[in-house]
Amino acid sequence: MKQKAILIGVLAFLGLTTSQSGPFKARLESAVHSGGESYAQVLLSQDPAQQLCTQYRNQLPSALIPQFLQGQKALIRYPKTGKLLGDWQNGEKVFTDPKRGNCYACHQGDPKQLAYGTMGPSLTGYGSRGTSEGVLRYTYEKIYNSWAYVPCSLMYRGGVHGLFTPEETADLVAFLLDPHSPINQR
Amino acid sequence: MRKSLPIALLLAASTTLFALSQQDQQEKPLDPFEEAMKQRQQYLQNFGILPGDLFASQGEELFYAKRGPKEKSLESCDFGLGPGKLEGAYARLPRYFPDTRKVEDLETRIVGCMERIQGFRPEEIKRDEVVALTTFVASKSSKAKMEVRPQHPAEIAMYTLGRELWYTRAGPRDMSCAICHDSYAGKRVRLSPVMSPKQGLGSEWPAYRFEEDRMYTFENRIQFCYTSVGIPAPDFYSQPQIALTMYILAEASKAGHSFQELPFFTR
């Protein structure tokens, strides 16, 4: 009970010190509207997690982190079959497609693909981790909702936003872990 | 002489050059800067001129021509240093203008002058002409030191607005400008290196992008960034455009950067 009161106090304090005041918010909203309705629609419909990451410039205060991670974990959906390891060949399509995974924007994958970004770690040889239950679950959840592991990271929450389905997420897992996947061919 | 070289012909030729460059790219991807320099050399060898310079000379013609319902040139347009003073004007934009009581970037100012001085109605103003005029006026600040330093309350307000937009995470890819252009600056998206304002982001626009076969102003560049992260782009001449331009160029000015050769030539 007492703990809860302290937590609420801390949250209120952090909120007061960093949140935007009313007049600024109103001015921001009117400026965003001047950018056109489709722009405003996206910018003004941030979900609570996007709002927090904006407010704290991607550095959440530690008091907020457990609740944030819990909230993000709750957004993860799994394939109906329960199988977290899907079809690596379809996974490769999702991984490469700029409209879905777009993973080469930031990650190295198939060593034959030379046009890869360097913002994320290289995924070449990712399969060396094996396919234990723990590795499967971590890989699946990280791809589906990266913010369930690292709040406000650059990696977007592709599953949460529907850029790929739970089944396609399992296919992406297979592209990373299947020994036949080009990612694991050296 | 310069002005008579038809842009269409040059652009058609550029597509061929680009196709050629794509071929060797399949073997080993070139560093984007090396690639741009190579393309630039090819233009100079084959045509003796860069496409960006053609846009600048088209803009120069438009600038001095008597046009619009009032049949006036844009010579009396004040870009902040006095009517018709163009040298170095772009390096201090966006800024507050007492006559309109607004903070304006170069593109917004040009549109405003076309309306007030030449008498055009907003819907009559062609984007292509604004791009050419922007390219011409900016070319007068080639290699100039960036001097965007918000001082007037309206400028500071615009800067603060831009900073907030810079950090706003939104859309289906949870993006903000800052997450790539600050946190991961110096790294690559695919083959393209990403710069932060501190590293001089903004110093190369307006630029001719040979990959897109188009002249890009800074507003075009901001639109491109939003679109590529799945967020509909803010309209030209809108507050988000001016605010982000203000924030980025003010940060680059603080870090002591100068503009590239304008119009720049890039990938």
Side-chain angles (χ1 to χ4, degrees), chain A residues 142-176:
Chain A
K142 174 84 177 182
I143 295 172
Y144 193 94
N145 185 358
S146 56
W147 288 6
Y149 286 91
V150 184
C152 312
S153 74
L154 163 63
M155 183 162 155
Y156 40 78
R157 300 168 294 164
V160 174
H161 289 295
L163 298 175
F164 33 80
T165 63
E167 287 70 22
E168 287 169 334
T169 308
D171 295 341
L172 285 165
V173 172
F175 183 57
L176 293 187

PDB file of all heavy atoms in Angstrom, chain A residues 142-176:
ATOM      1  N   LYS A 142      11.290 -10.668 -29.440  1.00  0.00           N
ATOM      2  CA  LYS A 142      12.099  -9.496 -29.815  1.00  0.00           C
ATOM      3  C   LYS A 142      11.682  -8.972 -31.195  1.00  0.00           C
ATOM      4  O   LYS A 142      11.573  -7.768 -31.412  1.00  0.00           O
ATOM      5  CB  LYS A 142      13.586  -9.891 -29.825  1.00  0.00           C
ATOM      6  CG  LYS A 142      14.522  -8.823 -30.318  1.00  0.00           C
ATOM      7  CD  LYS A 142      14.898  -7.852 -29.224  1.00  0.00           C
ATOM      8  CE  LYS A 142      15.908  -6.838 -29.756  1.00  0.00           C
ATOM      9  NZ  LYS A 142      16.329  -5.914 -28.702  1.00  0.00           N
ATOM     10  N   ILE A 143      11.434  -9.906 -32.136  1.00  0.00           N
ATOM     11  CA  ILE A 143      11.030  -9.482 -33.480  1.00  0.00           C
ATOM     12  C   ILE A 143       9.612  -8.902 -33.445  1.00  0.00           C
ATOM     13  O   ILE A 143       9.342  -7.855 -34.037  1.00  0.00           O
ATOM     14  CB  ILE A 143      11.081 -10.670 -34.474  1.00  0.00           C
ATOM     15  CG1 ILE A 143      12.519 -11.154 -34.657  1.00  0.00           C
ATOM     16  CG2 ILE A 143      10.487 -10.259 -35.823  1.00  0.00           C
ATOM     17  CD1 ILE A 143      12.634 -12.432 -35.475  1.00  0.00           C
ATOM     18  N   TYR A 144       8.721  -9.582 -32.719  1.00  0.00           N
ATOM     19  CA  TYR A 144       7.324  -9.139 -32.696  1.00  0.00           C
ATOM     20  C   TYR A 144       7.181  -7.784 -32.006  1.00  0.00           C
ATOM     21  O   TYR A 144       6.502  -6.890 -32.482  1.00  0.00           O
ATOM     22  CB  TYR A 144       6.451 -10.178 -31.988  1.00  0.00           C
ATOM     23  CG  TYR A 144       4.969  -9.949 -32.202  1.00  0.00           C
ATOM     24  CD1 TYR A 144       4.293 -10.595 -33.223  1.00  0.00           C
ATOM     25  CD2 TYR A 144       4.263  -9.062 -31.391  1.00  0.00           C
ATOM     26  CE1 TYR A 144       2.939 -10.378 -33.429  1.00  0.00           C
ATOM     27  CE2 TYR A 144       2.913  -8.831 -31.594  1.00  0.00           C
ATOM     28  CZ  TYR A 144       2.256  -9.494 -32.627  1.00  0.00           C
ATOM     29  OH  TYR A 144       0.915  -9.262 -32.839  1.00  0.00           O
ATOM     30  N   ASN A 145       7.861  -7.644 -30.867  1.00  0.00           N
ATOM     31  CA  ASN A 145       7.800  -6.377 -30.127  1.00  0.00           C
ATOM     32  C   ASN A 145       9.119  -6.111 -29.400  1.00  0.00           C
ATOM     33  O   ASN A 145       9.290  -6.474 -28.230  1.00  0.00           O
ATOM     34  CB  ASN A 145       6.639  -6.373 -29.119  1.00  0.00           C
ATOM     35  CG  ASN A 145       6.505  -5.014 -28.437  1.00  0.00           C
ATOM     36  OD1 ASN A 145       7.302  -4.108 -28.702  1.00  0.00           O
ATOM     37  ND2 ASN A 145       5.529  -4.876 -27.574  1.00  0.00           N
ATOM     38  N   SER A 146      10.015  -5.454 -30.084  1.00  0.00           N
ATOM     39  CA  SER A 146      11.349  -5.208 -29.519  1.00  0.00           C
ATOM     40  C   SER A 146      11.284  -4.390 -28.223  1.00  0.00           C
ATOM     41  O   SER A 146      12.150  -4.520 -27.371  1.00  0.00           O
ATOM     42  CB  SER A 146      12.203  -4.467 -30.539  1.00  0.00           C
ATOM     43  OG  SER A 146      11.543  -3.279 -30.917  1.00  0.00           O
ATOM     44  N   TRP A 147      10.244  -3.550 -28.083  1.00  0.00           N
ATOM     45  CA  TRP A 147      10.170  -2.707 -26.882  1.00  0.00           C
ATOM     46  C   TRP A 147       9.814  -3.515 -25.637  1.00  0.00           C
ATOM     47  O   TRP A 147       9.866  -2.995 -24.523  1.00  0.00           O
ATOM     48  CB  TRP A 147       9.169  -1.552 -27.084  1.00  0.00           C
ATOM     49  CG  TRP A 147       9.673  -0.509 -28.036  1.00  0.00           C
ATOM     50  CD1 TRP A 147      10.832  -0.561 -28.776  1.00  0.00           C
ATOM     51  CD2 TRP A 147       9.064   0.745 -28.355  1.00  0.00           C
ATOM     52  NE1 TRP A 147      10.961   0.571 -29.539  1.00  0.00           N
ATOM     53  CE2 TRP A 147       9.887   1.394 -29.301  1.00  0.00           C
ATOM     54  CE3 TRP A 147       7.890   1.377 -27.947  1.00  0.00           C
ATOM     55  CZ2 TRP A 147       9.586   2.659 -29.839  1.00  0.00           C
ATOM     56  CZ3 TRP A 147       7.575   2.630 -28.473  1.00  0.00           C
ATOM     57  CH2 TRP A 147       8.420   3.262 -29.409  1.00  0.00           C
ATOM     58  N   ALA A 148       9.440  -4.798 -25.799  1.00  0.00           N
ATOM     59  CA  ALA A 148       9.219  -5.659 -24.633  1.00  0.00           C
ATOM     60  C   ALA A 148      10.564  -6.042 -24.010  1.00  0.00           C
ATOM     61  O   ALA A 148      10.603  -6.606 -22.918  1.00  0.00           O
ATOM     62  CB  ALA A 148       8.448  -6.903 -25.036  1.00  0.00           C
ATOM     63  N   TYR A 149      11.652  -5.775 -24.714  1.00  0.00           N
ATOM     64  CA  TYR A 149      12.987  -6.051 -24.187  1.00  0.00           C
ATOM     65  C   TYR A 149      13.806  -4.776 -23.962  1.00  0.00           C
ATOM     66  O   TYR A 149      14.454  -4.630 -22.943  1.00  0.00           O
ATOM     67  CB  TYR A 149      13.747  -7.024 -25.102  1.00  0.00           C
ATOM     68  CG  TYR A 149      13.220  -8.425 -24.958  1.00  0.00           C
ATOM     69  CD1 TYR A 149      12.190  -8.885 -25.778  1.00  0.00           C
ATOM     70  CD2 TYR A 149      13.700  -9.264 -23.963  1.00  0.00           C
ATOM     71  CE1 TYR A 149      11.667 -10.157 -25.618  1.00  0.00           C
ATOM     72  CE2 TYR A 149      13.186 -10.545 -23.792  1.00  0.00           C
ATOM     73  CZ  TYR A 149      12.179 -10.983 -24.622  1.00  0.00           C
ATOM     74  OH  TYR A 149      11.654 -12.234 -24.450  1.00  0.00           O
ATOM     75  N   VAL A 150      13.794  -3.882 -24.937  1.00  0.00           N
ATOM     76  CA  VAL A 150      14.540  -2.621 -24.803  1.00  0.00           C
ATOM     77  C   VAL A 150      13.576  -1.453 -25.057  1.00  0.00           C
ATOM     78  O   VAL A 150      13.214  -1.190 -26.205  1.00  0.00           O
ATOM     79  CB  VAL A 150      15.723  -2.552 -25.793  1.00  0.00           C
ATOM     80  CG1 VAL A 150      16.536  -1.284 -25.559  1.00  0.00           C
ATOM     81  CG2 VAL A 150      16.605  -3.777 -25.676  1.00  0.00           C
ATOM     82  N   PRO A 151      13.143  -0.769 -23.999  1.00  0.00           N
ATOM     83  CA  PRO A 151      12.193   0.332 -24.192  1.00  0.00           C
ATOM     84  C   PRO A 151      12.751   1.397 -25.137  1.00  0.00           C
ATOM     85  O   PRO A 151      13.921   1.773 -25.021  1.00  0.00           O
ATOM     86  CB  PRO A 151      12.025   0.915 -22.783  1.00  0.00           C
ATOM     87  CG  PRO A 151      12.450  -0.173 -21.856  1.00  0.00           C
ATOM     88  CD  PRO A 151      13.489  -0.966 -22.592  1.00  0.00           C
ATOM     89  N   CYS A 152      11.907   1.834 -26.076  1.00  0.00           N
ATOM     90  CA  CYS A 152      12.248   2.962 -26.957  1.00  0.00           C
ATOM     91  C   CYS A 152      13.441   2.712 -27.869  1.00  0.00           C
ATOM     92  O   CYS A 152      14.065   3.657 -28.358  1.00  0.00           O
ATOM     93  CB  CYS A 152      12.497   4.243 -26.160  1.00  0.00           C
ATOM     94  SG  CYS A 152      11.247   4.615 -24.932  1.00  0.00           S
ATOM     95  N   SER A 153      13.788   1.426 -28.092  1.00  0.00           N
ATOM     96  CA  SER A 153      14.918   1.175 -28.996  1.00  0.00           C
ATOM     97  C   SER A 153      14.547   1.603 -30.412  1.00  0.00           C
ATOM     98  O   SER A 153      13.372   1.823 -30.727  1.00  0.00           O
ATOM     99  CB  SER A 153      15.305  -0.298 -28.982  1.00  0.00           C
ATOM    100  OG  SER A 153      14.342  -1.060 -29.685  1.00  0.00           O
ATOM    101  N   LEU A 154      15.559   1.721 -31.273  1.00  0.00           N
ATOM    102  CA  LEU A 154      15.323   2.089 -32.670  1.00  0.00           C
ATOM    103  C   LEU A 154      14.450   1.049 -33.363  1.00  0.00           C
ATOM    104  O   LEU A 154      13.592   1.375 -34.167  1.00  0.00           O
ATOM    105  CB  LEU A 154      16.681   2.226 -33.392  1.00  0.00           C
ATOM    106  CG  LEU A 154      16.667   2.218 -34.917  1.00  0.00           C
ATOM    107  CD1 LEU A 154      15.882   3.403 -35.463  1.00  0.00           C
ATOM    108  CD2 LEU A 154      18.090   2.263 -35.466  1.00  0.00           C
ATOM    109  N   MET A 155      14.652  -0.233 -33.040  1.00  0.00           N
ATOM    110  CA  MET A 155      13.942  -1.316 -33.734  1.00  0.00           C
ATOM    111  C   MET A 155      12.434  -1.202 -33.528  1.00  0.00           C
ATOM    112  O   MET A 155      11.956  -1.160 -32.409  1.00  0.00           O
ATOM    113  CB  MET A 155      14.432  -2.668 -33.219  1.00  0.00           C
ATOM    114  CG  MET A 155      13.802  -3.845 -33.923  1.00  0.00           C
ATOM    115  SD  MET A 155      14.767  -5.339 -33.654  1.00  0.00           S
ATOM    116  CE  MET A 155      13.529  -6.598 -33.892  1.00  0.00           C
ATOM    117  N   TYR A 156      11.720  -1.127 -34.642  1.00  0.00           N
ATOM    118  CA  TYR A 156      10.282  -0.899 -34.518  1.00  0.00           C
ATOM    119  C   TYR A 156       9.524  -2.174 -34.192  1.00  0.00           C
ATOM    120  O   TYR A 156      10.001  -3.277 -34.409  1.00  0.00           O
ATOM    121  CB  TYR A 156       9.707  -0.196 -35.739  1.00  0.00           C
ATOM    122  CG  TYR A 156      10.235  -0.631 -37.084  1.00  0.00           C
ATOM    123  CD1 TYR A 156       9.792  -1.799 -37.682  1.00  0.00           C
ATOM    124  CD2 TYR A 156      11.167   0.158 -37.755  1.00  0.00           C
ATOM    125  CE1 TYR A 156      10.262  -2.169 -38.932  1.00  0.00           C
ATOM    126  CE2 TYR A 156      11.631  -0.215 -38.994  1.00  0.00           C
ATOM    127  CZ  TYR A 156      11.188  -1.375 -39.580  1.00  0.00           C
ATOM    128  OH  TYR A 156      11.649  -1.740 -40.810  1.00  0.00           O
ATOM    129  N   ARG A 157       8.300  -1.973 -33.643  1.00  0.00           N
ATOM    130  CA  ARG A 157       7.506  -3.091 -33.147  1.00  0.00           C
ATOM    131  C   ARG A 157       6.654  -3.639 -34.291  1.00  0.00           C
ATOM    132  O   ARG A 157       5.445  -3.443 -34.340  1.00  0.00           O
ATOM    133  CB  ARG A 157       6.644  -2.608 -31.982  1.00  0.00           C
ATOM    134  CG  ARG A 157       7.469  -2.056 -30.813  1.00  0.00           C
ATOM    135  CD  ARG A 157       6.601  -1.333 -29.820  1.00  0.00           C
ATOM    136  NE  ARG A 157       6.023  -0.124 -30.392  1.00  0.00           N
ATOM    137  CZ  ARG A 157       4.991   0.524 -29.862  1.00  0.00           C
ATOM    138  NH1 ARG A 157       4.441   0.098 -28.741  1.00  0.00           N
ATOM    139  NH2 ARG A 157       4.540   1.614 -30.445  1.00  0.00           N
ATOM    140  N   GLY A 158       7.324  -4.360 -35.200  1.00  0.00           N
ATOM    141  CA  GLY A 158       6.677  -4.802 -36.441  1.00  0.00           C
ATOM    142  C   GLY A 158       5.424  -5.625 -36.219  1.00  0.00           C
ATOM    143  O   GLY A 158       4.434  -5.464 -36.932  1.00  0.00           O
ATOM    144  N   GLY A 159       5.448  -6.537 -35.245  1.00  0.00           N
ATOM    145  CA  GLY A 159       4.281  -7.367 -34.980  1.00  0.00           C
ATOM    146  C   GLY A 159       3.135  -6.540 -34.417  1.00  0.00           C
ATOM    147  O   GLY A 159       1.996  -6.650 -34.864  1.00  0.00           O
ATOM    148  N   VAL A 160       3.459  -5.681 -33.472  1.00  0.00           N
ATOM    149  CA  VAL A 160       2.436  -4.837 -32.832  1.00  0.00           C
ATOM    150  C   VAL A 160       1.713  -3.988 -33.874  1.00  0.00           C
ATOM    151  O   VAL A 160       0.499  -3.816 -33.837  1.00  0.00           O
ATOM    152  CB  VAL A 160       3.086  -3.929 -31.758  1.00  0.00           C
ATOM    153  CG1 VAL A 160       2.068  -2.945 -31.186  1.00  0.00           C
ATOM    154  CG2 VAL A 160       3.707  -4.772 -30.656  1.00  0.00           C
ATOM    155  N   HIS A 161       2.481  -3.448 -34.831  1.00  0.00           N
ATOM    156  CA  HIS A 161       1.881  -2.574 -35.839  1.00  0.00           C
ATOM    157  C   HIS A 161       1.299  -3.347 -37.023  1.00  0.00           C
ATOM    158  O   HIS A 161       0.847  -2.741 -37.993  1.00  0.00           O
ATOM    159  CB  HIS A 161       2.918  -1.576 -36.356  1.00  0.00           C
ATOM    160  CG  HIS A 161       3.274  -0.521 -35.338  1.00  0.00           C
ATOM    161  ND1 HIS A 161       2.379   0.402 -34.877  1.00  0.00           N
ATOM    162  CD2 HIS A 161       4.433  -0.271 -34.683  1.00  0.00           C
ATOM    163  CE1 HIS A 161       2.973   1.195 -33.988  1.00  0.00           C
ATOM    164  NE2 HIS A 161       4.219   0.800 -33.849  1.00  0.00           N
ATOM    165  N   GLY A 162       1.385  -4.671 -36.988  1.00  0.00           N
ATOM    166  CA  GLY A 162       0.814  -5.472 -38.073  1.00  0.00           C
ATOM    167  C   GLY A 162       1.619  -5.444 -39.364  1.00  0.00           C
ATOM    168  O   GLY A 162       1.088  -5.724 -40.431  1.00  0.00           O
ATOM    169  N   LEU A 163       2.909  -5.100 -39.283  1.00  0.00           N
ATOM    170  CA  LEU A 163       3.742  -5.149 -40.498  1.00  0.00           C
ATOM    171  C   LEU A 163       3.950  -6.606 -40.902  1.00  0.00           C
ATOM    172  O   LEU A 163       4.189  -6.912 -42.068  1.00  0.00           O
ATOM    173  CB  LEU A 163       5.092  -4.471 -40.254  1.00  0.00           C
ATOM    174  CG  LEU A 163       5.052  -2.981 -39.911  1.00  0.00           C
ATOM    175  CD1 LEU A 163       6.443  -2.469 -39.582  1.00  0.00           C
ATOM    176  CD2 LEU A 163       4.457  -2.182 -41.067  1.00  0.00           C
ATOM    177  N   PHE A 164       3.889  -7.518 -39.945  1.00  0.00           N
ATOM    178  CA  PHE A 164       3.858  -8.957 -40.222  1.00  0.00           C
ATOM    179  C   PHE A 164       2.993  -9.643 -39.156  1.00  0.00           C
ATOM    180  O   PHE A 164       2.843  -9.131 -38.045  1.00  0.00           O
ATOM    181  CB  PHE A 164       5.257  -9.569 -40.284  1.00  0.00           C
ATOM    182  CG  PHE A 164       6.268  -8.936 -39.365  1.00  0.00           C
ATOM    183  CD1 PHE A 164       6.304  -9.264 -38.016  1.00  0.00           C
ATOM    184  CD2 PHE A 164       7.192  -7.993 -39.847  1.00  0.00           C
ATOM    185  CE1 PHE A 164       7.233  -8.676 -37.167  1.00  0.00           C
ATOM    186  CE2 PHE A 164       8.121  -7.401 -38.997  1.00  0.00           C
ATOM    187  CZ  PHE A 164       8.139  -7.744 -37.643  1.00  0.00           C
ATOM    188  N   THR A 165       2.387 -10.805 -39.530  1.00  0.00           N
ATOM    189  CA  THR A 165       1.473 -11.536 -38.643  1.00  0.00           C
ATOM    190  C   THR A 165       2.285 -12.412 -37.674  1.00  0.00           C
ATOM    191  O   THR A 165       3.486 -12.594 -37.875  1.00  0.00           O
ATOM    192  CB  THR A 165       0.568 -12.455 -39.471  1.00  0.00           C
ATOM    193  OG1 THR A 165       1.420 -13.424 -40.115  1.00  0.00           O
ATOM    194  CG2 THR A 165      -0.219 -11.681 -40.520  1.00  0.00           C
ATOM    195  N   PRO A 166       1.626 -12.978 -36.659  1.00  0.00           N
ATOM    196  CA  PRO A 166       2.336 -13.922 -35.783  1.00  0.00           C
ATOM    197  C   PRO A 166       2.963 -15.070 -36.587  1.00  0.00           C
ATOM    198  O   PRO A 166       4.114 -15.460 -36.314  1.00  0.00           O
ATOM    199  CB  PRO A 166       1.234 -14.431 -34.849  1.00  0.00           C
ATOM    200  CG  PRO A 166       0.275 -13.286 -34.757  1.00  0.00           C
ATOM    201  CD  PRO A 166       0.281 -12.678 -36.133  1.00  0.00           C
ATOM    202  N   GLU A 167       2.253 -15.598 -37.580  1.00  0.00           N
ATOM    203  CA  GLU A 167       2.804 -16.698 -38.389  1.00  0.00           C
ATOM    204  C   GLU A 167       4.047 -16.228 -39.142  1.00  0.00           C
ATOM    205  O   GLU A 167       5.043 -16.947 -39.233  1.00  0.00           O
ATOM    206  CB  GLU A 167       1.753 -17.224 -39.372  1.00  0.00           C
ATOM    207  CG  GLU A 167       0.627 -18.049 -38.738  1.00  0.00           C
ATOM    208  CD  GLU A 167      -0.340 -17.217 -37.883  1.00  0.00           C
ATOM    209  OE1 GLU A 167      -0.436 -15.979 -38.088  1.00  0.00           O
ATOM    210  OE2 GLU A 167      -0.988 -17.801 -36.989  1.00  0.00           O
ATOM    211  N   GLU A 168       3.974 -15.019 -39.690  1.00  0.00           N
ATOM    212  CA  GLU A 168       5.139 -14.492 -40.413  1.00  0.00           C
ATOM    213  C   GLU A 168       6.298 -14.202 -39.456  1.00  0.00           C
ATOM    214  O   GLU A 168       7.463 -14.284 -39.845  1.00  0.00           O
ATOM    215  CB  GLU A 168       4.753 -13.219 -41.185  1.00  0.00           C
ATOM    216  CG  GLU A 168       3.897 -13.526 -42.410  1.00  0.00           C
ATOM    217  CD  GLU A 168       3.271 -12.273 -43.043  1.00  0.00           C
ATOM    218  OE1 GLU A 168       3.073 -11.265 -42.330  1.00  0.00           O
ATOM    219  OE2 GLU A 168       2.992 -12.315 -44.242  1.00  0.00           O
ATOM    220  N   THR A 169       5.967 -13.864 -38.215  1.00  0.00           N
ATOM    221  CA  THR A 169       7.034 -13.662 -37.226  1.00  0.00           C
ATOM    222  C   THR A 169       7.769 -14.985 -37.003  1.00  0.00           C
ATOM    223  O   THR A 169       9.009 -15.013 -36.935  1.00  0.00           O
ATOM    224  CB  THR A 169       6.446 -13.139 -35.896  1.00  0.00           C
ATOM    225  OG1 THR A 169       5.627 -12.006 -36.169  1.00  0.00           O
ATOM    226  CG2 THR A 169       7.550 -12.735 -34.929  1.00  0.00           C
ATOM    227  N   ALA A 170       7.002 -16.082 -36.914  1.00  0.00           N
ATOM    228  CA  ALA A 170       7.622 -17.404 -36.760  1.00  0.00           C
ATOM    229  C   ALA A 170       8.487 -17.726 -37.989  1.00  0.00           C
ATOM    230  O   ALA A 170       9.544 -18.375 -37.864  1.00  0.00           O
ATOM    231  CB  ALA A 170       6.544 -18.460 -36.560  1.00  0.00           C
ATOM    232  N   ASP A 171       8.051 -17.275 -39.176  1.00  0.00           N
ATOM    233  CA  ASP A 171       8.858 -17.480 -40.387  1.00  0.00           C
ATOM    234  C   ASP A 171      10.166 -16.686 -40.291  1.00  0.00           C
ATOM    235  O   ASP A 171      11.229 -17.173 -40.694  1.00  0.00           O
ATOM    236  CB  ASP A 171       8.075 -17.051 -41.633  1.00  0.00           C
ATOM    237  CG  ASP A 171       6.836 -17.928 -41.878  1.00  0.00           C
ATOM    238  OD1 ASP A 171       6.787 -19.051 -41.310  1.00  0.00           O
ATOM    239  OD2 ASP A 171       5.929 -17.479 -42.607  1.00  0.00           O
ATOM    240  N   LEU A 172      10.084 -15.471 -39.753  1.00  0.00           N
ATOM    241  CA  LEU A 172      11.304 -14.673 -39.566  1.00  0.00           C
ATOM    242  C   LEU A 172      12.244 -15.367 -38.576  1.00  0.00           C
ATOM    243  O   LEU A 172      13.463 -15.405 -38.785  1.00  0.00           O
ATOM    244  CB  LEU A 172      10.954 -13.264 -39.050  1.00  0.00           C
ATOM    245  CG  LEU A 172      10.356 -12.308 -40.078  1.00  0.00           C
ATOM    246  CD1 LEU A 172       9.706 -11.102 -39.392  1.00  0.00           C
ATOM    247  CD2 LEU A 172      11.441 -11.821 -41.049  1.00  0.00           C
ATOM    248  N   VAL A 173      11.679 -15.935 -37.520  1.00  0.00           N
ATOM    249  CA  VAL A 173      12.483 -16.677 -36.541  1.00  0.00           C
ATOM    250  C   VAL A 173      13.233 -17.795 -37.266  1.00  0.00           C
ATOM    251  O   VAL A 173      14.437 -18.003 -37.048  1.00  0.00           O
ATOM    252  CB  VAL A 173      11.594 -17.243 -35.404  1.00  0.00           C
ATOM    253  CG1 VAL A 173      12.395 -18.172 -34.503  1.00  0.00           C
ATOM    254  CG2 VAL A 173      10.975 -16.107 -34.595  1.00  0.00           C
ATOM    255  N   ALA A 174      12.518 -18.495 -38.155  1.00  0.00           N
ATOM    256  CA  ALA A 174      13.143 -19.596 -38.894  1.00  0.00           C
ATOM    257  C   ALA A 174      14.248 -19.090 -39.812  1.00  0.00           C
ATOM    258  O   ALA A 174      15.307 -19.722 -39.939  1.00  0.00           O
ATOM    259  CB  ALA A 174      12.092 -20.347 -39.704  1.00  0.00           C
ATOM    260  N   PHE A 175      14.017 -17.923 -40.431  1.00  0.00           N
ATOM    261  CA  PHE A 175      15.061 -17.364 -41.302  1.00  0.00           C
ATOM    262  C   PHE A 175      16.341 -17.102 -40.486  1.00  0.00           C
ATOM    263  O   PHE A 175      17.445 -17.283 -40.980  1.00  0.00           O
ATOM    264  CB  PHE A 175      14.563 -16.084 -41.976  1.00  0.00           C
ATOM    265  CG  PHE A 175      15.547 -15.483 -42.945  1.00  0.00           C
ATOM    266  CD1 PHE A 175      16.034 -16.206 -44.021  1.00  0.00           C
ATOM    267  CD2 PHE A 175      15.995 -14.168 -42.777  1.00  0.00           C
ATOM    268  CE1 PHE A 175      16.947 -15.643 -44.916  1.00  0.00           C
ATOM    269  CE2 PHE A 175      16.909 -13.601 -43.664  1.00  0.00           C
ATOM    270  CZ  PHE A 175      17.386 -14.344 -44.735  1.00  0.00           C
ATOM    271  N   LEU A 176      16.183 -16.729 -39.220  1.00  0.00           N
ATOM    272  CA  LEU A 176      17.354 -16.468 -38.370  1.00  0.00           C
ATOM    273  C   LEU A 176      17.975 -17.748 -37.825  1.00  0.00           C
ATOM    274  O   LEU A 176      19.188 -17.836 -37.641  1.00  0.00           O
ATOM    275  CB  LEU A 176      16.974 -15.562 -37.186  1.00  0.00           C
ATOM    276  CG  LEU A 176      16.577 -14.129 -37.499  1.00  0.00           C
ATOM    277  CD1 LEU A 176      16.401 -13.340 -36.211  1.00  0.00           C
ATOM    278  CD2 LEU A 176      17.641 -13.456 -38.366  1.00  0.00           C
TER     279      LEU A 176
END
